[in-house]
C-alpha cells in the first residue's frame, strides 16, 4: 500500500496551535503514514513547540520563522530547492499562503484543504472585487484538487472558480478517544451542553432565549453547561444572569483537549445554533464539535447553516433546525425532555454513525484516494 513517495504538508496552523485547521492537519499526518514512504511537515515555529509524533519516525519537521514575511521567503526558497518535486504530494492547510507558495515554487502535485470562512468576502470590497475574483480564482484553479470539508464549502470554491477540481470530504473524529464513558450521575436533570468559541454568530443567545421560553415545568428539569472562551462570553453571562435560568447555567471556560470526552459524556444533549449571514465572513464550514459529541454517544442539535448538514445526519443521532427558529427548538427540546429513551437511542445511533462513516482513519483513506484519482 505504501508508495515510494513523499507527502509534504504545508500549514502555518499546526500543533501546538489548537484551532480546527491545526487539529485537521495533525490528524492527517497521524493517520496517513501507511500510504507514504516519507512524511514531512512545513510549519511556523512556535514557542514551546513539541513534536507530537515521537513514535512516528516517518515524520520530519521543517520550521519557518514566526514573522510572516520572513516565513514566506524561507518557505519559497526551501520549496524551490525541493529535491524530488515529481514524487512529492503537497497538501496545503490553506489556499493562501500555503498553496500559493507551493505553486510559485514549481511544486507539481498540489492539493488544498478548504474550510469555509477563508473563501468568503464579507463586506470587504478588496476581497469582493480583487482578492477572490483574481487571486483566489487563479490559485484555486492551479491546484490539482481542492478538498472541501463539506458540500457547503465546495460550493464556495465553485462560486470563486467554477473550473476548479473539487471534492466534498466531510471531516472525521477519533472514536478511540471520543467515546462513551461510564459517568456517575448525582441527579436526574436533563443536561444540555454547548462547546465552541463564544462568538455571537455561534448562537448562544438564541439557545438562551429558547430555553427561557420553555414552560416552567420543563425549565425546572434542565441545566445548560457552556464551555469555551471568546469575546461574547461576558455579554452572554450578563444575559444569562437576567433570566429565570441563571442558577441552572454553568460556564466552564476553556476545556483542554484531554478533558473533552469527559465533558461531553457528562451531558444528555449537545446544541450549537450557529448563524450564517450574507455580509459576514464568520461561518461554520463543518462543525467538528458535533462529531466529537456524537462519538461520545451524545445526540446533537445544529442549525441548517454552513456545512453543519455534513456533520449531522438527521435521524441518526442528530436534528437540524432552521436558523433562529425559537419555536422549532423549543418544541424539539420538550419532546426530548419527555422521552429519555429517545435521547439514549439517538446517542447510540450517533456513535454507530461515527464508527461506520466518520473516523479519521476513514477520512484519510478517502483523502488519499482523492489525491490519487
Amino acid at each position: 500500500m505504501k508508495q515510494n513517495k513523499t507527502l509534504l504538508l504545508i500549514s502555518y496552523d499546526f500543533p501546538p496551535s489548537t484551532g480546527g485547521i491545526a487539529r485537521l492537519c495533525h490528524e492527517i499526518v497521524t493517520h496517513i503514514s501507511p500510504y507514504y514512504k516519507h512524511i514531512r511537515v512545513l510549519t511556523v515555529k512556535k514557542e514551546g513547540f513539541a513534536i507530537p509524533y515521537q513514535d512516528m519516525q516517518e515524520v520530519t519537521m521543517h520550521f519557518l520563522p514566526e514573522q510572516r514575511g520572513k516565513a514566506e521567503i524561507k518557505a519559497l526558497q526551501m520549496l524551490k530547492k525541493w529535491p524530488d518535486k515529481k514524487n512529492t504530494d503537497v497538501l496545503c492547510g490553506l489556499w493562501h499562503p500555503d498553496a500559493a507558495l507551493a505553486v510559485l515554487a514549481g511544486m507539481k502535485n498540489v492539493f488544498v484543504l478548504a474550510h469555509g470562512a477563508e473563501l468568503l468576502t464579507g463586506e470587504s470590497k478588496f476581497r469582493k472585487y480583487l482578492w477572490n475574483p483574481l487571486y483566489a480564482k487563479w490559485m484555486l484553479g492551479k491546484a490539482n484538487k481542492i478538498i472541501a470539508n463539506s458540500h457547503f464549502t465546495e460550493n464556495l470554491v465553485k462560486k470563486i472558480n467554477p473550473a476548479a477540481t473539487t471534492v466534498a470530504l466531510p471531516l472525521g473524529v477519533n472514536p478511540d478517544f471520543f467515546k462513551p464513558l461510564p459517568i456517575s450521575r448525582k441527579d436526574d436533570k436533563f443536561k444540555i451542553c454547548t462547546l465552541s468559541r463564544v462568538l455571537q454568530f455561534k448562537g448562544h443567545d438564541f439557545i438562551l432565549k429558547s430555553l427561557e421560553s420553555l414552560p416552567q415545568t420543563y425549565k425546572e428539569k434542565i441545566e445548560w453547561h457552556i464551555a469555551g472562551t471568546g469575546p461574547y462570553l461576558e455579554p452572554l453571562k450578563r444575559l444569562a444572569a437576567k433570566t429565570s435560568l441563571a442558577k441552572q447555567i454553568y460556564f466552564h471556560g476553556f476545556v483542554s483537549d484531554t478533558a473533552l470526552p469527559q465533558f461531553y459524556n457528562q451531558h444528555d444533549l449537545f446544541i450549537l445554533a450557529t448563524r450564517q449571514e450574507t455580509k459576514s465572513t464568520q461561518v461554520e464550514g463543518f462543525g467538528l464539535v458535533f462529531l466529537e459529541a456524537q462519538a461520545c454517544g451524545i445526540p446533537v442539535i445544529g442549525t441548517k447553516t454552513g456545512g453543519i448538514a455534513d456533520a449531522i445526519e438527521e435521524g441518526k443521532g442528530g436534528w437540524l433546525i432552521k436558523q433562529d427558529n425559537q419555536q422549532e427548538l423549543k418544541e424539539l427540546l420538550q419532546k426530548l425532555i419527555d422521552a429519555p429513551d429517545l435521547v439514549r437511542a439517538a446517542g447510540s445511533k450517533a456513535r454507530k454513525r461515527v464508527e461506520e462513516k466518520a473516523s479519521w482513519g476513514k477520512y484519510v483513506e478517502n483523502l488519499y484516494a482523492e489525491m490519487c484519482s
Side-chain angles (χ1 to χ4, degrees):
M1 184 181 293
K2 185 174 293 193
Q3 294 192 43
N4 188 25
K5 293 182 70 177
T6 296
L7 174 72
L8 172 62
L9 174 73
I10 304 176
S11 179
Y12 285 23
D13 290 305
F14 201 75
S17 298
T18 56
I21 296 175
R23 185 180 300 184
L24 170 59
C25 292
H26 173 187
E27 295 292 351
I28 289 171
V29 171
T30 301
H31 290 87
I32 209 164
S33 59
Y35 304 101
Y36 288 93
K37 185 174 182 180
H38 304 288
I39 302 172
R40 300 179 183 274
V41 174
L42 179 61
T43 189
V44 172
K45 187 168 187 177
K46 303 172 183 71
E47 186 176 348
F49 188 91
I51 299 174
Y53 313 111
Q54 295 178 7
D55 60 336
M56 294 179 60
Q57 300 299 318
E58 298 92 340
V59 177
T60 302
M61 307 297 298
H62 301 275
F63 297 110
L64 302 171
E66 290 185 68
Q67 299 90 339
R68 287 297 296 263
K70 291 181 179 179
E72 287 159 16
I73 291 171
K74 183 174 179 180
L76 195 57
Q77 292 172 340
M78 184 181 298
L79 293 171
K80 281 185 175 180
K81 297 177 182 177
W82 199 261
D84 192 358
K85 295 179 180 179
K86 183 178 179 181
N87 288 310
T88 299
D89 288 341
V90 184
L91 183 61
C92 303
L94 288 167
W95 72 265
H96 171 84
D98 312 356
L101 291 168
V103 169
L104 291 172
M107 303 302 287
K108 304 300 181 184
N109 310 310
V110 179
F111 302 87
V112 183
L113 299 170
H115 314 277
E118 79 280 13
L119 302 165
L120 297 172
T121 62
E123 296 186 274
S124 168
K125 291 183 179 179
F126 172 73
R127 294 181 68 88
K128 184 176 181 179
Y129 296 110
L130 293 174
W131 186 263
N132 273 17
L134 297 178
Y135 180 33
K137 182 178 181 180
W138 169 79
M139 184 57 249
L140 295 171
K142 283 288 184 180
N144 293 51
K145 187 174 287 187
I146 311 298
I147 315 290
N149 62 358
S150 66
H151 289 87
F152 167 79
T153 300
E154 183 182 25
N155 288 335
L156 292 180
V157 175
K158 287 295 189 181
K159 286 181 181 178
I160 296 173
N161 188 338
T165 302
T166 64
V167 64
L169 192 61
L171 303 182
V173 71
N174 183 347
D176 295 324
F177 180 71
F178 292 99
K179 60 185 178 181
L181 299 173
I183 298 293
S184 176
R185 297 288 291 267
K186 297 180 181 180
D187 55 54
D188 58 355
K189 292 285 188 180
F190 187 82
K191 297 179 186 289
I192 300 165
C193 69
T194 299
L195 184 147
S196 74
R197 280 275 290 162
V198 187
L199 304 166
Q200 192 159 13
F201 90 100
K202 295 286 188 177
H204 294 81
D205 56 332
F206 161 69
I207 298 173
L208 180 60
K209 289 178 184 177
S210 300
L211 295 176
E212 180 72 348
S213 72
L214 289 169
Q216 184 61 30
T217 53
Y218 287 91
K219 284 197 282 189
E220 292 172 354
K221 298 177 181 179
I222 66 171
E223 290 180 358
W224 185 24
H225 294 258
I226 302 166
T229 60
Y232 191 60
L233 180 58
E234 291 307 315
L236 178 63
K237 286 182 177 180
R238 290 193 291 270
L239 283 176
K242 296 176 182 178
T243 70
S244 61
L245 290 165
K247 294 183 179 180
Q248 294 158 253
I249 299 174
Y250 301 86
F251 292 91
H252 295 260
F254 174 76
V255 177
S256 68
D257 285 353
T258 55
L260 286 176
Q262 184 79 11
F263 176 79
Y264 288 122
N265 273 277
Q266 289 171 341
H267 302 97
D268 300 294
L269 180 69
F270 177 92
I271 306 178
L272 185 62
T274 310
R275 298 183 175 97
Q276 181 183 338
E277 298 176 3
T278 305
K279 295 183 179 181
S280 174
T281 57
Q282 294 180 312
V283 70
E284 202 78 65
F286 178 75
L288 196 55
V289 287
F290 292 108
L291 281 191
E292 293 174 351
Q294 290 175 83
C296 291
I298 308 302
V300 300
I301 297 175
T303 44
K304 297 174 182 177
T305 62
I308 293 175
D310 279 313
I312 300 174
E313 190 172 347
E314 187 82 35
K316 292 192 176 181
W319 298 270
L320 291 162
I321 62 172
K322 294 178 182 177
Q323 175 176 312
D324 288 326
N325 192 317
Q326 187 173 310
Q327 186 64 26
E328 189 177 6
L329 179 56
K330 174 186 172 182
E331 291 177 0
L332 178 56
L333 286 172
Q334 289 179 219
K335 176 183 175 181
L336 297 178
I337 293 169
D338 281 337
D341 289 344
L342 173 61
V343 175
R344 285 191 288 270
S348 297
K349 289 179 182 178
R351 173 65 187 181
K352 184 177 180 181
R353 173 178 173 263
V354 167
E355 290 176 332
E356 292 178 351
K357 300 181 179 180
S359 69
W360 280 122
K362 189 67 177 176
Y363 172 85
V364 170
E365 178 185 333
N366 293 333
L367 171 67
Y368 179 71
E370 290 294 340
M371 292 171 68
C372 291
S373 63

